[in-house]
Amino acid sequence: MEEERVVDFSDLPENCISHALSFTTPLDASRAAVVSSVFRTASESDSLWQKFLPPDYMEIISTSASPMEFSSNKDLYLRLCDSILVDGGKMGFSLQKSSGKKCYTLSPRELQIIWVDAPRCWRWIPTRTSRFGEAVELLGVSWLEIHGKINARILSPKTDYVACLLLKTVDGATGLDYPPAELFVKAGGRAHKKNGYLYVDGDRLPVLNPEILTALRIKMEARRPIDIPRVPHSRDDGWMEIELGRFFNDGEGGDVEMSIMEIKGRNLKKGLIIEGIEIRPYNRF
Amino acid sequence: MSESTEKKMVRLRSSDGEVFEVEESVAKVAKTLQDMLEEDCADAVIPITCVRAPILTKVIDYCKDQVMISSSSSTTNNPNERTEQERKAWGQKFMEGVDSSTLCELLVASNFLNIEGLLNLGVDKMVSMIQGKYPQEIRDMFNVVNDFTPEEEEEIRNQNAWAFERDPYYKKRSSSK
């Protein structure tokens, strides 16, 4: 009598495993490559990675500043996880590796910066560490006002996003630690406003500023909610970032407006270098 | 008289030799069987060579249910009609308690018999089982043999290094033996 052989995963057509993997994440699919040779072939299929790429990926890479060459869809996916320049070099584009969601960076040339054309106020500086090859340095203004805008249609739908200003400060930066700047994001008719210090001097947290302490004490005594201003954080790429705000992209399109403003203090502000505004998926935990 | 009300029956034989008699409409839920029956190339007993009896039983259960919900769908207020939510709940219940080896056999069977709905249920189940898992967990779960040499595995890990920043199940295998 013929020996009965129980079927196992090696009997499954590879496209069945690949189909199942397409409902997981790029992270799960990449891990599955190590399971066995059947899983590996399934986890590297073009049709699988086509699903992880954004639907308009062809359009995106067609506007890439440098020609994109790739051997497979997985290869292309991984290349797109490293930022590329798109739209005539005006924006940086990348995919969030674990999810495949889109991330954009508006270059400083794409931002509306008040007084940017006044040579005594701002200057463009070639910057090796900038993805755009240049950044813009604040030489001195009392009226700091920066606006950015992106159409939500190009972002991944049904996704939480966070917008961050990418910045650095030079030695001798002044006027940026106090008063705090007003950070603003508006998307889908919902606006969020919050204060943030664009510069924090190592040990001397501006929160300890006597004026702020007084303000905090008054609020605490009145039992009003205390709104602690945001501060910049270090990034892996050598820049700092300060969060402007978060929004949910419902996929309906429309403009996302972002701004940074400090026009109340009327003090001289200088020493800020702007790399752009990054709009990236935000993972809720 | 020729228009018999008696339902036409079809016989299916599992890989382990058990014969199942089902209504033709039930068998036809499987596209592969539908094609065979329509082209009239089905023998008296259709051998389902890669499906064991317990799995074929489950497959037939699924097909019977499909016939039941579609048979009276033309009439309004079909008591068997399901909302999207009920359909989902039914699918979950149907796959409840299905272990990984049964799941594997169900997937092979629904793929061979070309039953899209059942294949989707199986795929959903598989997705829920592999999500967030590391390779060794997947191997253990589905009884998959790691057919890579230690060097090959190391290389594939390196190619996908970003996905393995913390793999608690991985110990570098030595290739000395």
Side-chain angles (χ1 to χ4, degrees), chain B residues 53-141:
Chain B
I55 304 301
L56 195 52
T57 310
K58 188 109 179 129
V59 170
I60 291 168
D61 282 350
Y62 176 84
C63 294
K64 278 181 179 163
D65 181 77
Q66 290 300 299
V67 170
M68 185 189 78
I69 48 174
S70 62
S71 62
S72 45
S73 64
S74 51
T75 61
T76 48
N77 291 333
N78 174 11
N80 299 321
E81 207 168 17
R82 298 192 183 118
T83 63
E84 177 71 19
Q85 221 172 8
E86 286 169 333
R87 204 182 50 75
K88 235 178 177 169
W90 185 89
Q92 250 167 22
K93 191 137 194 286
F94 186 79
M95 297 304 286
E96 207 174 67
V98 168
D99 62 17
S100 52
S101 66
T102 309
L103 171 63
C104 186
E105 289 186 80
L106 267 179
L107 283 167
V108 171
S110 49
N111 181 65
F112 170 74
L113 293 169
N114 197 355
I115 311 171
E116 202 188 335
L118 184 58
L119 190 63
N120 288 343
L121 281 182
V123 165
D124 285 351
K125 178 89 180 175
M126 183 175 167
V127 170
S128 71
M129 289 170 91
I130 59 180
Q131 257 168 348
K133 298 288 198 307
Y134 284 99
Q136 192 52 48
E137 293 175 286
I138 296 176
R139 286 185 204 123
D140 292 346
M141 202 159 40

Side-chain angles (χ1 to χ4, degrees), chain A residues 4 28 31 34-35 37 74, chain B residues 52 132 139 142 147 160 163:
Chain A
E4 194 194 319
D28 286 322
R31 283 180 184 167
V34 178
V35 172
S37 49
K74 183 179 179 181
Chain B
R52 294 186 311 122
R139 286 185 204 123
F142 296 111
D147 54 359
N160 297 282

Side-chain angles (χ1 to χ4, degrees), chain A:
Chain A
M1 192 176 157
E2 201 185 323
E3 199 180 313
E4 194 194 319
R5 197 180 75 82
V6 174
V7 294
D8 61 32
F9 264 77
S10 56
D11 295 295
L12 271 184
E14 161 207 316
N15 62 16
C16 181
I17 299 179
S18 169
H19 180 59
L21 289 175
S22 74
F23 295 102
T24 66
T25 62
L27 181 69
D28 286 322
S30 297
R31 283 180 184 167
V34 178
V35 172
S36 73
S37 49
V38 178
F39 269 80
R40 186 192 184 186
T41 317
S43 79
E44 289 175 352
S45 87
D46 273 341
S47 59
L48 169 63
W49 288 86
Q50 173 106 32
K51 281 206 171 176
F52 292 149
L53 286 164
D56 57 346
Y57 77 95
M58 287 303 275
E59 200 183 317
I60 293 165
I61 59 176
S62 73
T63 70
S64 167
S66 50
M68 296 289 295
E69 283 171 18
F70 51 95
S71 56
S72 66
N73 281 346
K74 183 179 179 181
D75 181 36
L76 173 63
Y77 179 92
L78 293 173
R79 271 162 209 263
L80 290 178
C81 292
D82 295 324
S83 186
I84 60 165
L85 293 185
V86 295
D87 202 9
K90 285 187 278 185
M91 287 198 287
F93 170 83
S94 62
L95 296 176
Q96 187 187 46
K97 219 175 214 174
S98 55
S99 68
K101 307 261 193 196
K102 292 153 132 188
C103 171
Y104 279 95
T105 308
L106 303 177
S107 75
R109 294 269 183 202
E110 274 289 272
L111 303 177
Q112 195 202 343
I113 302 174
I114 306 301
W115 297 114
V116 77
D117 294 326
R120 276 188 303 173
C121 297
W122 292 87
R123 70 166 173 180
W124 294 94
I125 45 169
T127 308
R128 201 173 39 80
T129 55
S130 164
R131 71 208 72 193
F132 305 108
E134 63 171 3
V136 65
E137 182 184 345
L138 174 60
L139 297 177
V141 292
S142 56
W143 186 286
L144 177 67
E145 182 173 355
I146 303 168
H147 294 271
K149 199 159 75 172
I150 190 165
N151 193 319
R153 190 182 47 81
I154 67 172
L155 301 172
S156 298
K158 309 270 173 245
T159 302
D160 287 300
Y161 272 94
V162 57
C164 292
L165 177 72
L166 308 187
L167 61 120
K168 258 182 201 172
T169 41
V170 299
D171 288 342
T174 51
L176 300 166
D177 48 354
Y178 191 80
E182 196 172 80
L183 311 170
F184 175 84
V185 169
K186 185 180 166 195
R190 296 171 68 115
H192 301 273
K193 212 181 266 188
K194 198 167 161 95
N195 287 341
Y197 302 110
L198 298 178
Y199 176 68
V200 177
D201 185 5
D203 313 323
R204 194 179 61 88
L205 275 171
V207 168
L208 300 179
N209 180 310
E211 281 179 62
I212 298 168
L213 281 178
T214 312
L216 279 179
R217 204 176 53 237
I218 292 169
K219 276 194 174 183
M220 280 169 80
E221 279 164 4
R223 296 183 186 278
R224 297 219 319 260
I226 298 168
D227 190 26
I228 297 169
R230 295 191 183 117
V231 292
H233 296 282
S234 301
R235 293 162 54 97
D236 291 340
D237 61 2
W239 291 87
M240 308 275 289
E241 65 175 35
I242 185 164
E243 181 182 321
L244 301 180
R246 295 171 188 182
F247 62 94
F248 178 70
N249 179 28
D250 55 14
E252 303 290 316
D255 280 336
V256 179
E257 293 166 39
M258 297 150 286
S259 68
I260 302 96
M261 261 204 258
E262 204 303 281
I263 54 177
K264 290 173 187 160
R266 291 166 187 258
N267 57 335
L268 183 74
K269 288 167 269 289
K270 66 173 200 174
L272 181 68
I273 302 176
I274 306 278
E275 158 76 343
I277 293 180
E278 183 178 85
I279 300 104
R280 64 164 186 263
Y282 162 73
N283 301 323
R284 285 194 219 198
F285 291 107

